Amino acid sequence: METPDREKVATRLLAASVKHSFDPDTEIDWGAQLLEGAWFLPPELCSLYDTPLWGRMPREQQIDLSRHEAACTASMGIWFELVGMQALLRHCTALDPTTEHVRYALTEIEEECRHSKMFAREVLRLDTPTYRPGRVDHILGHFLPALPSSSIFTALLIAEEVMDWIQRQTVRDERVQPLVRDVMRIHVVEESRHIRYEREEMRLRMQSASRREMEFTRYVSAVVAGVVARSMIRPQVYASVGLDPAEAVAAVRASAHRREVLVQAAGRLTTFLGDIGLLSGPCRRLWRTSGFLR
């Protein structure tokens, strides 16, 4: 049964979608020249920033790493959104399709379709490989749509909140290529509604969740956090720019700066999950392993 609060939130988000939606095919100048010497991510967000290895890299190689890491973010964004759309569709099959809640879920799916196509065009424009999740994470992605709705919404929220933080830092950074900033600007505006939808749904669900559901959702959230962390930068990225992947991965793991970036990226998320009871118990150790929690 749909609650008045759930319907009220969905109604507001549907109205916002009408006013603030974008068509990336026409809103972005895909033929514009990339700027010589511009970054593709803020250098501080590059995984190797402030490591000894970063210090030995010439500026051209640093910028090239930012290009591949931006493309990796887009590639993995496509994968997360494809898995998320399947999960949302499954969520909707058990509900009344005439409700505002389901109408907004379908609107979110519509927007995620556009985002996936937009990210694919970005990867092509950046002229990089299409980076993919590891084998284990790819298999885990197949299971998400079959999980209970509380786990589905938690997983969606984790992936979207972390990416949203990274993109907000990038959008406001004038050192970054205009094309990349335009892509992220569209995603930030539309994704803010998705985050609101998922936050409100999780708040409602956790208020009435049984102990068993709460424990299961906590565990799923910790596992998904690990998947998101591993997927942010694939080791193949380092090989693409002429680095030894094993050396680069070791440098990232030893980087205090990178750990701080991950904690900041998940700061709003972990505060919210803590407020609704999803960060207590043994799952905190898994969250720390992901790097998103001190």
Side-chain angles (χ1 to χ4, degrees):
M1 180 180 296
E2 303 302 329
T3 68
D5 286 345
R6 181 177 282 123
E7 289 292 271
K8 191 181 299 182
V9 168
T11 299
R12 288 199 299 268
L13 293 174
L14 283 165
S17 294
V18 172
K19 293 180 180 178
H20 304 292
S21 290
F22 304 92
D23 180 355
D25 288 336
T26 57
E27 296 278 350
I28 296 174
D29 184 0
W30 294 103
Q33 288 292 320
L34 298 176
L35 299 183
E36 187 72 26
W39 295 88
F40 293 81
L41 285 175
E44 297 82 5
L45 297 188
C46 290
S47 61
L48 288 171
Y49 182 81
D50 201 30
T51 65
L53 179 55
W54 177 268
R56 298 196 301 269
M57 295 165 61
R59 181 179 173 86
E60 293 76 13
Q61 191 179 28
Q62 293 173 349
I63 290 175
D64 199 32
L65 177 63
S66 77
R67 177 170 66 94
H68 282 267
E69 293 199 357
C72 184
T73 298
S75 296
M76 297 310 305
I78 296 169
W79 180 68
F80 282 122
E81 290 184 341
L82 291 174
V83 172
M85 285 188 278
Q86 295 176 62
L88 275 177
L89 283 170
R90 182 192 173 280
H91 168 72
C92 290
T93 58
L95 302 176
D96 180 353
T98 66
T99 62
E100 298 291 87
H101 177 76
V102 170
R103 281 186 62 209
Y104 186 74
L106 296 175
T107 300
E108 178 171 336
I109 291 167
E110 179 184 6
E111 291 174 349
E112 299 291 31
C113 283
R114 292 200 302 269
H115 296 168
S116 296
K117 293 187 292 181
M118 175 176 70
F119 288 150
R121 291 193 72 172
E122 181 186 13
V123 172
L124 284 171
R125 190 68 184 83
L126 298 188
D127 192 25
T128 70
T130 301
Y131 295 102
R132 300 186 182 279
R135 185 166 176 262
V136 171
D137 292 340
H138 182 72
I139 292 171
L140 288 173
H142 284 301
F143 287 101
L144 178 64
L147 295 180
S149 290
S150 55
S151 295
I152 288 172
F153 278 93
T154 304
L156 292 172
L157 187 61
I158 292 169
E160 290 175 353
E161 289 257 19
V162 171
M163 181 177 284
D164 182 70
W165 185 88
I166 292 170
Q167 292 184 335
R168 286 179 185 273
Q169 313 311 306
T170 304
V171 164
R172 64 173 67 106
D173 194 323
E174 296 185 357
R175 297 172 296 174
V176 175
Q177 294 282 353
L179 175 73
V180 174
R181 292 168 65 201
D182 287 344
V183 167
M184 292 190 175
R185 184 177 293 110
I186 287 175
H187 197 255
V188 163
V189 171
E190 296 190 341
E191 208 72 5
S192 65
R193 298 192 291 268
H194 304 175
I195 290 171
R196 173 68 189 282
Y197 180 67
E198 286 141 19
R199 276 178 168 247
E200 293 303 319
E201 183 66 14
M202 285 308 302
R203 196 184 301 277
L204 285 169
R205 285 182 176 274
M206 292 302 99
Q207 286 174 356
S208 59
S210 65
R211 181 176 178 180
R212 183 177 180 179
E213 180 183 3
M214 183 74 79
E215 288 294 339
F216 185 75
T217 308
R218 284 176 186 145
Y219 178 73
V220 169
S221 74
V223 171
V224 170
V227 173
V228 172
R230 289 190 296 272
S231 299
M232 289 176 71
I233 303 298
R234 305 297 301 144
Q236 295 89 335
V237 165
Y238 304 119
S240 295
V241 299
L243 297 173
D244 175 50
E247 181 185 7
V249 169
V252 171
R253 288 176 176 167
S255 172
H257 174 82
R258 185 61 177 176
R259 287 195 295 274
E260 185 60 30
V261 167
L262 293 179
V263 170
Q264 287 186 41
R268 290 179 66 250
L269 168 69
T270 53
T271 297
F272 173 75
L273 294 180
D275 289 345
I276 62 173
L278 291 181
L279 276 186
S280 59
C283 78
R284 289 184 68 88
R285 184 166 61 86
L286 285 175
W287 269 94
R288 291 193 184 98
T289 301
S290 73
F292 291 134
L293 193 67
R294 288 190 181 89

